[in-house]
Amino acid sequence: EAYDDGDNARTCQHLNALAAQESVSLTCRLANVTGLGIHAKLVLVQVAGEAWVHLGSLNGTENSHKNNREVALQFNSPEAYGRFAAVFDHDWAEGHGPYIYHAILPLVAHDYTPPADYPLLSEVFVNPSGEDAGREWIEVYNPGLTRDLSGWTLGDTIRGGDYGDGRYRFPAGAVLLEGQAVVVAACGTDFAAAYGFLPAYEWNGCRADVPDLLPDGNWEGFGLALGNTQDEVLLRDAGGALVDSVAWGGAERAGVAPYPLAVGEVFPYAASLRRYPPDVDTGDCGVDFYVSYSPSPGRP
């Protein structure tokens, strides 16, 4: 059984005490070799030259049989018997007698990063399949207290005037509630066609019923459009201070280590770069983000 300091330990102690009192060859140990407990129910029997295995999740309770519909298999297989016996022997060697005395150990946290209390870029739809124009989007999540986003900016420009980059300003009255995730899309029409609901904001002015982010400054080229081999997104407050950023491909920049891509590697089609957990910011996008093949805008 997986070790805990409650019923498992007391049951193990009781069985070992009974075995000692009645001179029965029976021993109980506790083990948690995977760190997530042991749920398999395993019985190995050798009889009349045959090697039988009983394996499954089935407990010995009425609830397990009737309500959970759990299942176990019994079969004769010397090969399976040998394999499961080796697994059991390994787990048995890692097990121990149930603890009787409890030790209070100091907490040691290695490379621990506490949850952020400021808005974070939680998901970026980098490379839509087919034509990118109008189909990219960025999700902003607020793990902290409600924020007034009036005058905050979002874009992929590190320095003003970078060719092919742009920066857009949240309108007056924009608010990001505590625990809220909002989606800023290139085009609300394209976004709604793909996901069945409208984004909170858009930056290309496709729809009258979706608030627009307003161009902030002048730039050359096509404005905010996410590069498929290398780019970044920056979120700045109304005073221009960098609040959060995410980058992929290339060298360290925008205050973060980028999500690693080989030189010339194209970010996977129809996938997003997603922060997990959504409230952790270590400054290393290779640690904070993963490639999600099931983008989930509005659900950090």
Side-chain angles (χ1 to χ4, degrees), residues 3-238:
Y3 168 71
D4 68 13
D5 60 357
D7 291 342
N8 288 344
R10 288 189 291 271
T11 299
C12 205
Q13 289 167 1
H14 180 65
L15 288 174
N16 287 337
L18 286 177
Q21 292 171 8
E22 301 181 12
S23 300
V24 177
S25 179
L26 173 68
T27 305
C28 176
R29 290 187 183 182
L30 302 174
N32 191 11
V33 293
T34 67
L36 295 174
I38 301 174
H39 190 254
K41 314 305 188 293
L42 175 67
V43 179
L44 301 173
V45 177
Q46 284 186 322
V47 59
E50 296 180 336
W52 287 87
V53 176
H54 172 98
L55 179 67
S57 64
L58 186 64
N59 295 319
T61 64
E62 184 177 14
N63 181 70
S64 179
H65 285 75
K66 294 183 177 180
N67 295 330
N68 292 348
R69 301 290 197 195
E70 298 190 45
V71 175
L73 297 177
Q74 295 179 357
F75 54 96
N76 177 17
S77 170
E79 294 80 5
Y81 182 98
R83 170 58 180 162
F84 289 118
V87 173
F88 177 84
D89 289 341
H90 171 267
D91 292 352
W92 185 259
E94 295 293 323
H96 51 73
Y99 289 131
I100 298 175
Y101 302 103
H102 299 275
I104 307 301
L105 301 177
L107 173 65
V108 179
H110 179 65
D111 290 339
Y112 173 69
T113 301
D117 60 357
Y118 49 87
L120 294 171
L121 300 166
S122 50
E123 191 169 7
V124 181
F125 193 42
V126 176
N127 188 10
S129 58
E131 176 61 44
D132 285 13
R135 301 171 64 189
E136 297 169 335
W137 50 263
I138 301 164
E139 180 186 85
V140 183
Y141 170 63
N142 181 22
L145 300 177
T146 296
R147 299 274 183 151
D148 179 2
L149 295 185
S150 301
W152 285 44
T153 60
L154 184 69
D156 62 344
T157 179
I158 299 176
R159 297 165 297 275
D162 287 350
Y163 181 83
D165 291 341
R167 185 166 61 210
Y168 294 79
R169 186 174 68 254
F170 284 88
V175 172
L176 187 58
L177 303 177
E178 180 179 358
Q180 184 183 21
V182 298
V183 177
V184 182
C187 175
T189 300
D190 291 338
F191 181 88
Y195 300 102
F197 64 97
L198 292 173
Y201 303 95
E202 62 180 8
W203 67 77
N204 280 344
C206 293
R207 300 179 63 107
D209 54 350
V210 176
D212 293 329
L213 267 62
L214 308 173
D216 187 72
N218 298 312
W219 52 79
E220 297 183 30
F222 38 76
L224 175 53
L226 304 177
N228 295 336
T229 58
Q230 175 180 324
D231 211 342
E232 57 280 330
V233 177
L234 295 88
L235 178 67
R236 299 179 183 272
D237 66 17

